[in-house]
C-alpha cells in the first residue's frame, strides 16, 4: 500500500472460529465486551453503508482486522458497496466462509490486494482443508482476481501442491512462511515467534504513515481503534456511527496518541511492535522514496523481495 494514502480496516464481526495461534482472540473479545456500549457481534450492512458514506473516497477500505471477513454473510455486499462508492479495496482472508458463488460477484473488482492466507503444516493457522475449501481456492485461482497474493505462516500442506502447480504458484511450495510475532506484546507464542525490545526516543510506523496514524480499524459497533494491533483497545479514536471521519484526527485522543510516538512511555504498544522504526532522517528518506518513487520501480523491488523469500532455506 502507498504510505501516503489512508486506509480503514473493517472487522466485520467479533469472534473468529478459526482461532489462529498468533491471534489473541480471547483477549480482544474480553476487552471489546468491556468497552463496547452496544456489544454488537456483527456490523449490520446498514451501519456499514452509513460509515462508508462518511469516509472520503481517497481512503482505501480493507476487509481484515480482528476476524475472518467472510464469516460475515454480507461481506460480499459490503465489498461491492465500498467499491461502488469509489473506494480502493483490499481483502485479507483465509477464504473460510466464502462460497464459490460469491466469488463471481466480486471477481472483476480491481483489488489493491486480495491476499489469501493459506494453511501451514504447523497449524498456526487453523484452517480446515476440506472439499469446499479446495473448490473455493481453485475458483479464486481460475478467476484471475487482480491483486491476488498468497501468504502463510509456515510450509504449505502437500495436499495443496496440485492446485499451486496447476495455476502457476508452484514456487510457493518452498515458502517458509511469514514471521509470527507477539502483536506488540499482546501474545505469548513459542517456537519461531518474534518480539521486539522497547525502542526509546521518537518512533514511527511505516505501515501507518510514520506518525500520522493513517491505517485504522473499525469494529462492529462503529468504534475506531488506531491500529489492529491494539488488542487491549487502549487507544480509541472515536465512533464512526456518531463522529465524522475527519474528527477522528482532530480530537484529544488523537493528539494524546501522537504525543506517545515522541515520548519514552514503556506502556505504549507501538514501542513493542516488530514493525516500529526510529523516527529519524533514514526513515523520512524511505517514506519519501515509497511516496514519490515511480510504482514500477517499487513493484520490481517487491518482486525481488518475494523471489528471495520463496527460496528454500538450507
Amino acid at each position: 500500500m502507498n504510505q501516503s494514502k489512508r486506509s480503514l480496516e473493517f472487522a466485520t464481526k467479533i469472534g473468529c472460529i478459526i482461532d489462529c495461534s498468533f491471534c489473541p482472540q480471547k483477549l480482544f473479545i474480553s476487552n471489546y465486551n468491556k468497552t463496547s456500549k452496544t456489544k454488537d457481534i456483527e456490523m449490520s450492512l446498514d451501519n456499514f453503508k452509513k460509515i462508508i458514506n462518511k469516509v472520503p473516497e481517497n481512503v482505501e477500505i480493507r476487509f481484515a482486522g480482528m476476524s475472518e471477513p467472510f464469516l460475515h454473510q454480507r461481506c460480499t455486499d459490503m465489498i461491492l458497496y465500498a467499491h461502488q462508492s469509489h473506494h480502493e479495496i483490499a481483502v485479507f482472508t483465509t477464504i473460510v466462509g466464502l462460497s464459490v458463488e460469491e466469488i463471481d460477484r466480486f471477481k472483476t473488482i480491481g483489488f489493491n490486494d486480495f491476499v489469501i492466507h493459506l494453511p501451514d503444516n504447523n497449524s498456526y493457522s487453523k484452517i480446515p482443508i476440506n472439499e469446499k475449501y479446495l473448490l473455493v481456492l481453485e475458483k479464486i485461482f481460475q478467476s484471475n482476481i487482480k491483486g491476488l497474493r498468497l501468504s502463510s505462516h509456515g510450509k504449505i500442506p502437500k495436499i495443496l501442491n496440485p492446485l499451486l502447480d496447476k495455476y502457476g504458484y508452484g514456487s510457493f511450495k518452498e515458502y517458509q512462511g511469514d514471521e509470527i510475532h507477539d502483536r506488540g506484546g499482546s501474545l505469548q507464542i513459542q517456537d519461531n515467534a518474534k518480539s521486539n525490545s522497547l525502542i526509546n526516543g521518537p518512533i514511527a510506523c511505516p505501515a501507518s504513515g510514520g506518525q500520522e496514524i493513517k491505517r485504522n480499524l473499525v469494529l462492529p459497533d462503529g468504534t475506531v481503534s488506531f491500529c489492529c494491533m491494539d488488542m487491549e483497545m487502549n487507544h480509541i479514536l472515536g465512533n464512526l456511527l456518531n463522529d465524522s471521519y475527519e474528527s477522528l484526527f482532530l480530537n484529544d485522543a488523537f493528539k494524546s496518541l501522537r504525543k506517545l510516538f515522541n515520548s519514552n512511555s514503556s506502556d505504549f504498544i507501538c514501542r513493542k511492535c516488530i514493525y516500529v522504526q526510529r523516527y529519524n532522517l533514514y526513515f523520512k528518506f524511505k517514506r519519501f522514496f515509497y511516496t514519490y518513487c515511480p510504482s514500477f520501480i517499487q513493484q520490481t523491488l517487491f518482486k525481488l523481495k518475494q523471489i528471495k523469500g520463496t527460496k528454500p532455506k538450507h
Side-chain angles (χ1 to χ4, degrees), residues 5 48 69-70 73 119 131 222 286-287 295:
K5 290 186 178 181
F48 177 82
F70 288 109
Q73 294 184 349
E131 182 179 359
K286 287 195 299 181
R287 185 180 170 208
S295 60

Side-chain angles (χ1 to χ4, degrees), residues 58-302:
N58 64 346
V59 177
E60 179 192 57
I61 302 301
R62 293 182 150 208
F63 293 85
M66 306 300 198
S67 67
E68 163 55 51
F70 288 109
L71 290 176
H72 195 304
Q73 294 184 349
R74 306 299 298 273
C75 183
T76 297
D77 293 319
M78 293 177 176
I79 292 171
L80 293 174
Y81 187 80
H83 177 63
Q84 292 160 5
S85 300
H86 309 293
H87 290 275
E88 295 180 352
I89 309 294
V91 175
F92 298 81
T93 176
T94 63
I95 67 173
V96 174
L98 180 61
S99 68
V100 169
E101 294 75 21
E102 294 291 296
I103 296 169
D104 284 328
R105 297 182 61 200
F106 62 67
K107 66 182 182 182
T108 59
I109 291 176
F111 293 98
N112 281 355
D113 291 290
F114 194 98
V115 180
I116 301 177
H117 191 106
L118 295 176
D120 60 88
N121 285 330
N122 295 318
S123 296
Y124 292 128
S125 302
K126 300 178 177 66
I127 302 168
I129 304 175
N130 50 32
E131 182 179 359
K132 178 184 178 181
Y133 177 87
L134 295 174
L135 287 173
V136 170
L137 183 59
E138 181 161 27
K139 176 67 174 180
I140 288 176
F141 285 156
Q142 292 172 343
S143 299
N144 296 315
I145 293 175
K146 183 181 178 182
L148 179 62
R149 292 191 289 114
L150 304 179
S151 74
S152 75
H153 280 301
K155 290 274 290 185
I156 306 302
K158 290 183 178 180
I159 191 174
L160 299 182
N161 287 354
L163 280 180
L164 295 175
D165 287 331
K166 182 177 180 180
Y167 294 99
Y169 293 94
S171 62
F172 200 79
K173 293 184 297 184
E174 302 301 326
Y175 188 57
Q176 301 299 311
D178 301 333
E179 287 181 323
I180 294 176
H181 57 89
D182 64 359
R183 305 297 289 264
S186 297
L187 190 63
Q188 299 294 325
I189 313 179
Q190 303 299 320
D191 300 327
N192 62 337
K194 183 176 180 179
S195 60
N196 190 28
S197 56
L198 294 173
I199 294 181
N200 294 322
I203 58 172
C205 175
S208 196
Q211 294 188 343
E212 297 178 45
I213 317 172
K214 291 182 174 182
R215 192 173 78 182
N216 316 115
L217 171 73
V218 187
L219 301 174
D221 65 349
T223 295
V224 180
S225 174
F226 90 108
C227 177
C228 63
M229 296 291 184
D230 189 18
M231 293 288 181
E232 296 185 5
M233 298 182 64
N234 288 326
H235 304 287
I236 301 301
L237 299 179
N239 188 304
L240 278 173
L241 290 176
N242 306 313
D243 306 322
S244 69
Y245 179 79
E246 292 76 14
S247 70
L248 301 178
F249 310 101
L250 298 172
N251 58 31
D252 290 340
F254 181 81
K255 293 175 183 176
S256 297
L257 188 58
R258 286 289 300 271
K259 288 180 180 178
L260 287 173
F261 276 85
N262 292 297
S263 74
N264 282 317
S265 172
S266 60
D267 293 329
F268 186 37
I269 186 174
C270 293
R271 294 191 180 278
K272 307 169 190 175
C273 180
I274 67 165
Y275 301 116
V276 70
Q277 295 182 14
R278 296 188 186 280
Y279 192 57
N280 52 23
L281 287 176
Y282 177 63
F283 177 87
K284 293 175 183 178
F285 170 77
K286 287 195 299 181
R287 185 180 170 208
F288 178 87
F289 173 82
Y290 284 111
T291 301
Y292 298 106
C293 179
S295 60
F296 75 92
I297 296 179
Q298 294 187 41
Q299 290 169 3
T300 300
L301 292 174
F302 179 76

